[in-house]
């Protein structure tokens, strides 16, 4: 695959990869932007793959002032769902990943699909009290207060390579707790993947400070 760096109008470096004859993938800082295709003699046409447009925003849910980014509309769109999963796994296609850990609950849906795509096992990270076997637990920071998450103590073997998946990273409290939980039982956390990053809340930066590479497909400004 050939990667070419071009400059956008705003002087950002845009990486262009030739995926297949007539098929181009555009990325900025390894973040997926778009895929374009030439069909017959038509000029390059952008696929209707704007993942951002498939996310529904619900103001004031679950409480006033929150813009809830609802991915159920993305999941219901076959092409967007497939594209999102393909883009999440893209950097690890062909590399050895033992497990994908999904955070309850939307991380289960995405994590299952990602695990299937990578031929890896799937591990659920659940809210306290939901798992039937012996667990390890970790408390994590919420906006107000703390909560606890758990996973089965034998879900990951020491040294296994794990990718963490959730739908969205905001303050990073949840993902940070999950990384600590995985490390507690000896996992190597290869990366954390999200459809959505809310960069103003600093969660991705928090994970990177823990030496966890972060992959997010799209970002929304603000809360
Ligand atoms: P945080 O721990 O602050 O990074 O929050 C991340 C978790 O809360 C994820 O499991 C998200 O599904 C959920 N979450 C936080 N903020 C939002 C939001 N604005 N829209 C949808 N889900 C959110």
């Amino acid at each position: 695959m050939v990667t070419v760096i071009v400059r956008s109008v705003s002087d950002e470096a845009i990486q262009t990869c030739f995926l297949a004859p007539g098929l181009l993938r555009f990325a900025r800082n390894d973040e997926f932007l778009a895929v374009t295709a030439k069909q017959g003699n038509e000029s390059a046409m952008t696929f209707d793959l704007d993942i951002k447009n498939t996310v529904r925003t619900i103001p004031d849910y679950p409480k006033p002032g929150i813009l809830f980014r609802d991915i159920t509309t993305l999941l219901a769109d076959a092409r967007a769902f497939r594209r999102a999963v393909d883009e999440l796994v893209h950097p690890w296609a062909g590399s050895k990943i033992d497990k994908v850990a999904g955070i309850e609950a939307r991380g289960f849906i995405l994590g299952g699909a990602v695990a299937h795509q990578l031929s890896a096992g799937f591990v659920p990270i659940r809210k306290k009290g939901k798992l039937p076997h012996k667990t390890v637990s970790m408390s994590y920071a919420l906006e107000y207060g703390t909560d606890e998450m758990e996973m089965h103590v034998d879900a990951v073997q020491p040294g296994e390579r794990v990718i963490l998946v959730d739908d969205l990273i905001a303050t990073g409290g949840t993902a940070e707790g999950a990384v600590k939980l995985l490390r507690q039982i000896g996992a190597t956390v290869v990366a954390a993947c999200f459809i959505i990053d809310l960069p103003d809340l600093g969660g991705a930066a928090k994970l990177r400070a823990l030496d966890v590479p972060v992959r997010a497909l799209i970002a929304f400004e603000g809360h």
Side-chain angles (χ1 to χ4, degrees), residues 88-89 92 97-104 106-108 110-112 114-115 118 120-126 140 149-151 156 160-169 172-183 187-196 203-204 206-208 210 212-216:
L88 284 177
V89 303
W92 299 281
I97 300 298
D98 299 297
K99 302 272 167 61
V100 173
I103 300 176
E104 187 169 358
R106 291 177 290 271
F108 292 176
L110 294 165
V114 166
L118 291 173
F122 176 79
V123 171
I125 297 182
R126 301 211 61 180
Y140 63 101
M149 63 176 77
E150 294 181 335
M151 61 189 293
V156 175
E160 283 194 321
R161 289 165 55 80
V162 179
I163 289 181
L164 180 68
V165 175
D166 202 1
D167 64 329
L168 178 147
I169 182 160
T174 312
E176 183 184 27
V179 166
K180 289 181 174 166
L181 189 57
L182 286 162
R183 286 181 171 168
T188 299
V189 183
V190 175
C193 298
F194 309 88
I195 302 274
I196 302 165
K206 195 181 278 177
L207 286 194
R208 290 186 180 112
L210 291 173
V212 178
V214 177
R215 178 162 180 78

Side-chain angles (χ1 to χ4, degrees), residues 132-147:
H133 185 53
K134 195 173 174 211
T135 57
V136 282
S137 67
M138 182 64 62
S139 65
Y140 63 101
L142 294 172
E143 200 177 344
Y144 303 105
T146 59
D147 208 340

